[in-house]
Amino acid sequence: MDATGIDKHEVALFLDEVDKDIVIEAPHDSWNQPRPDDIVVVEVGENSSATIFRIHCWRVGAGVPLTAGGVSLDRCVRTMRRGEEATFKAKDGESVPAARVRLPCLHRCEDLRGDGRLVRTTLRDGHRWQMPQEGSELRVRFSWQALPAAVAASVAGALELGARGKGVEQAQEETALEIRGAADQFAEVAGSPEVATLRLALLRRFGGTITVCVAGEGGLCASSALRVLRGGSLVSASSAGVAAVEAAEEVRQEIEAAAVTALGTTQQRAEREVTISLDEGRCVCSAEDWIPGLAGLRVLSDLRVGQRCSVRLAPDLAFGAQGLPDFGVPPDATLEYDVELLQIMKLEDISLDGSGRITKKTTHEGEGYDHPAEGAEVVLRVEARDHASGAVLVEDCELK
């Protein structure tokens, strides 16, 4: 197994057992391959058609018994990169048609300390090359919830603390998310952000595999655009007359409310934006309920603008036995944060003598590579404020 957690020997053995043909190469900037504990979203269709007839979502290595083309889907995705589309067929499965498999989404799961106490799962990739550096100011949106003990210790949680590899029997269970409507509209609805958020909520609540498919005719709640079933039993269904995309948000709220009722009450804080300064190896933030200490710095240190992630924090790295009563954090609480990096503002000392008396803060990166040269004419938009009070000294205006 290499440093990335991928067993290259196992991958090589698997490729000897199957016929794999790449239909669409992964994008040039997509280099990550799924590894154990990552969450993957896989579209499956027939080799003879580009039509997608089901979507699966699961945590790699969780013992999920899904197959396509006579081979394990869990082993298939470990040979792929995000955005890749390929066909797979077992070499000894002559009567089994090849399956077309696409990996549109990969949520990287990282154990940032190596002991399961600080785990980060990327929910959306960032963009550009810039990452936070010492002296940067960051604009961050975050929220948190204190997890019930049953969730914090269970493999049904989205991120498992200290119990990886256990509970495989439970992890093999499948949850069906059925979408009613025309088959040619299935891919569009199933790929919507609302359905993607519902998929992750179901994986968090039930574990195992989440399978998104077209609903059959009749059955329970036949008038619902969207319904959730486990073992053939109805778990939740949208209200009649609500379109599938809007129904996904309705069902997600119902699933999460039911989880709180079943597993115990939980405290949470709604999302808000804050400014965080990286100064002398620590995060300086006015929000007292931000991820404390070096854990917060580690979470932010290699994010890119636009990246959103879920962070699970063990009690001793959060607020310990005391909790944070003023913000509703109970004692010994496992916290799960939702963190999004909105902006990186770089600070530079531009004073001629290096005294720090004049500091430039970049709030928006420019485009292109040209800089003003001697003799050039420029147009500047300027506003001046008092640093201490924020009072406007010079109204927003243009200077030539």
Side-chain angles (χ1 to χ4, degrees), residues 127-351:
H127 53 85
R128 298 187 178 179
W129 55 269
Q130 189 180 11
M131 290 188 290
Q133 298 177 346
E134 181 74 17
S136 299
E137 281 190 5
L138 314 178
R139 193 159 62 89
V140 174
R141 179 186 293 129
F142 81 98
S143 62
W144 59 261
Q145 60 176 333
L147 300 179
V151 173
S154 171
V155 294
L159 300 171
E160 185 184 356
L161 288 179
R164 295 183 183 182
K166 300 178 183 179
V168 170
E169 182 177 350
Q170 179 182 0
Q172 292 178 344
E173 296 181 11
E174 184 175 31
T175 302
L177 172 57
E178 296 188 345
I179 298 174
R180 188 172 302 280
D184 58 354
Q185 298 176 346
F186 171 72
E188 179 181 354
V189 174
S192 67
E194 292 81 2
V195 172
T197 301
L198 174 57
R199 270 199 319 257
L200 289 175
L202 291 171
L203 187 65
R204 168 190 166 81
R205 175 67 180 91
F206 299 115
T209 312
I210 311 302
T211 297
V212 186
C213 55
V214 178
E217 296 299 323
L220 297 171
C221 298
S223 60
S224 297
L226 190 150
R227 60 189 180 186
V228 178
L229 301 99
R230 281 176 62 78
S233 299
L234 183 70
V235 174
S236 179
S238 60
S239 303
V242 179
V245 171
E246 290 75 16
E249 177 63 17
E250 175 190 334
V251 172
R252 181 190 65 80
Q253 293 178 2
E254 181 180 336
I255 290 292
E256 292 182 346
V260 171
T261 301
L263 300 172
T265 58
T266 182
Q267 283 70 38
Q268 58 186 0
R269 188 79 184 271
E271 70 176 23
R272 60 206 187 279
E273 292 184 14
V274 295
T275 299
I276 298 175
S277 299
L278 304 187
D279 183 34
E280 297 181 351
R282 62 193 181 98
C283 292
V284 180
C285 180
S286 59
E288 294 182 43
D289 54 345
W290 168 249
I291 302 172
L294 292 176
L297 180 64
R298 179 64 188 90
V299 167
L300 293 173
S301 62
D302 56 354
L303 296 186
R304 300 177 188 274
V305 174
Q307 188 168 344
R308 179 173 165 240
C309 56
S310 173
V311 179
R312 182 165 290 194
L313 196 65
D316 61 313
L317 294 180
F319 300 100
Q322 292 74 33
L324 202 62
D326 291 345
F327 291 86
V329 179
D332 295 317
T334 295
L335 298 183
E336 186 170 78
Y337 283 79
D338 189 310
V339 178
E340 181 180 359
L341 179 57
L342 302 174
Q343 187 178 17
I344 299 174
M345 295 172 282
K346 185 170 60 176
L347 296 176
E348 300 174 84
D349 178 6
I350 60 171
S351 54

Side-chain angles (χ1 to χ4, degrees), residues 67-90:
T67 61
V71 296
S72 163
L73 270 180
D74 194 71
R75 298 180 74 190
C76 287
V77 297
R78 299 190 200 202
T79 72
M80 303 177 72
R81 294 187 294 149
R82 180 180 54 81
E84 181 181 320
E85 184 172 334
T87 62
F88 291 88
K89 183 180 184 302

